Amino acid sequence: MSSQLHITNGDNFTQKLINLKLGGEIITWREMLCEGKTETNVGSESFWKTRFDFLSKNYQVTKSWFIEKTLKEYRSLCNHKYQDHIVLWFEYDLFCQINMLAVISWLKANRPFSEISMVCCGDENNPDTLYNLNDLSDEQLMNLYENRTFLTQDDVEYADYVWQLYCSDNPIRLENLKDFGSFQFIYLESAIRAHLMRFPTIKNGLNEVENNILRLAKSAKPKSKSELMSTVLKNQGHYGFGDTQYKRLFVKLKPLFKSFKPVILSTTGNDILMGKTSYYSCLQDNNVYLGGALKYNFLYNTDTDRILKL
């Protein structure tokens, strides 16, 4: 009987998976590679140093927490050398899809003979029907598991290739990918498109995520910052960000709000949302990375859906 290793997208789901009693070992991938600088060589010393530097500076992650939560779990993954079947449990959003690419890249280099399958968390006949794994019943999860997708060598090579492009210093190479449909990653194209829309727009210097916060602040008229947070989390499309990521953005966008109780945009905030003025010069920070690319070295043209290099 073959032995299995399950790799999950987070602690909450790991607990749910334990209760399913599918057998095999479980590793939790505790990273958010959709944010901050990434390097292609997943798991190397320089890779983890780069990640710790980002998480420490931006999320006040301590070295002891990073070692305990992330590195220990990664070392556990390294020690699982004998499972011949690896099951990936990652969701449809950008957060999960980028983590999934990195894991597959690592598996390609370190477990070349393993059979890899992934549990897709949506309706394959209708890719617009999307689920969060934590919201599904045990019966639904078992059904997804039994109908999981087995990756071919071509799929693995492709995931690794997209990861290399994500880590490159020029997102235009990623933008030019047109062959998503030839592989079994049905959510990857929309996740990569969401990623490209994180570069600042020509229109007002804010990206899609930042503009969405302003749009929802204006249209939903939340009564408090916490209400704005829950509105944004429910209406974020294919990003899959958590409240910690949005808290950082709220701080950054604070000058565009007149008040947070109730939530009201400032005059400048309204003008920026309407495209009458740009926030670009106020935002420039030459050390903000999206994957391997510097965020403010590129602009996103919303009229043509193309990236421009400055």
Side-chain angles (χ1 to χ4, degrees):
M1 183 180 164
S2 68
S3 58
Q4 285 190 350
L5 177 65
H6 300 272
I7 303 178
T8 74
N9 66 342
D11 291 283
N12 289 345
F13 184 69
T14 291
Q15 198 49 55
K16 208 168 165 76
L17 195 56
I18 290 168
N19 298 335
L20 270 188
K21 297 183 170 56
L22 287 175
E25 299 292 321
I26 303 174
I27 297 286
T28 308
W29 185 258
R30 294 193 187 101
E31 247 292 8
M32 52 174 186
L33 298 169
C34 60
E35 264 207 277
K37 194 173 194 313
T38 58
E39 295 184 13
T40 55
N41 50 348
V42 180
S44 68
E45 201 173 320
S46 66
F47 174 88
W48 289 124
K49 183 183 184 309
T50 296
R51 293 307 300 161
F52 174 70
D53 288 348
F54 166 75
L55 293 166
S56 163
K57 181 185 169 194
N58 294 283
Y59 288 98
Q60 290 70 56
V61 168
T62 63
K63 189 163 269 187
S64 59
W65 190 99
F66 189 69
I67 289 168
E68 185 63 34
K69 294 292 187 181
T70 301
L71 289 188
K72 270 195 182 173
E73 203 71 355
Y74 170 70
R75 285 173 194 146
S76 179
L77 172 61
C78 295
N79 292 333
H80 284 86
K81 295 177 179 172
Y82 305 108
Q83 285 86 353
D84 47 18
H85 184 70
I86 295 164
V87 187
L88 306 179
W89 299 81
F90 289 90
E91 295 174 0
Y92 61 86
D93 53 58
L94 176 72
F95 190 109
C96 270
Q97 292 286 299
I98 297 300
N99 281 342
M100 181 192 75
L101 292 177
V103 170
I104 295 174
S105 178
W106 185 88
L107 291 171
K108 175 180 176 277
N110 296 279
R111 300 289 181 271
F113 304 111
S114 294
E115 180 181 54
I116 305 170
S117 68
M118 59 182 186
V119 177
C120 292
C121 55
D123 182 340
E124 273 191 65
N125 301 316
N126 180 13
D128 293 331
T129 305
L130 303 167
Y131 313 118
N132 291 319
L133 290 169
N134 282 317
D135 297 338
L136 299 178
S137 68
D138 288 356
E139 188 183 354
Q140 286 171 310
L141 287 171
M142 283 302 294
N143 188 42
L144 286 175
Y145 171 73
E146 282 158 12
N147 293 290
R148 64 195 184 277
T149 302
F150 287 82
L151 301 186
T152 66
Q153 189 57 37
D154 283 349
D155 291 328
V156 172
E157 299 278 352
Y158 187 68
D160 178 57
Y161 176 60
V162 179
W163 171 250
Q164 309 295 321
L165 293 187
Y166 178 78
C167 296
S168 80
D169 61 5
N170 189 344
I172 293 169
R173 295 169 64 203
L174 203 51
E175 179 183 64
N176 290 331
L177 272 181
K178 296 287 181 264
D179 52 354
F180 291 101
S182 305
F183 303 91
Q184 296 189 85
F185 304 102
I186 57 176
Y187 306 114
L188 189 54
E189 184 171 11
S190 55
I192 293 300
R193 179 172 158 73
H195 163 62
L196 295 171
M197 292 173 78
R198 292 191 297 165
F199 289 92
T201 61
I202 293 172
K203 186 179 138 191
N204 65 6
L206 296 181
N207 67 14
E208 172 56 25
V209 183
E210 294 150 355
N211 272 308
N212 190 44
I213 292 170
L214 296 192
R215 281 196 301 267
L216 290 169
K218 192 172 175 72
S219 63
K221 299 182 171 58
K223 295 181 179 62
S224 64
K225 193 188 274 191
S226 62
E227 198 175 303
L228 174 62
M229 175 70 81
S230 63
T231 304
V232 169
L233 288 170
K234 284 181 202 143
N235 297 280
Q236 60 171 321
H238 285 250
Y239 287 100
F241 294 164
D243 54 2
T244 49
Q245 289 165 294
Y246 279 113
K247 274 176 191 163
R248 265 185 80 218
L249 285 174
F250 284 8
V251 170
K252 178 177 159 188
L253 298 175
K254 193 179 175 190
L256 305 184
F257 287 86
K258 182 179 175 183
S259 138
F260 277 112
K261 199 169 183 177
V263 175
I264 302 169
L265 293 181
S266 66
T267 305
T268 308
N270 269 306
D271 286 349
I272 284 166
L273 184 59
M274 301 300 288
K276 292 179 183 173
T277 185
S278 176
Y279 203 46
Y280 187 77
S281 58
C282 305
L283 285 171
Q284 272 187 286
D285 174 348
N286 286 334
N287 205 29
V288 178
Y289 279 87
L290 297 173
L294 282 163
K295 178 177 176 180
Y296 293 103
N297 279 7
F298 299 89
L299 285 174
Y300 187 79
N301 185 337
T302 47
D303 294 331
T304 60
D305 288 331
R306 302 293 290 176
I307 296 265
L308 304 169
K309 188 172 189 336
L310 290 177

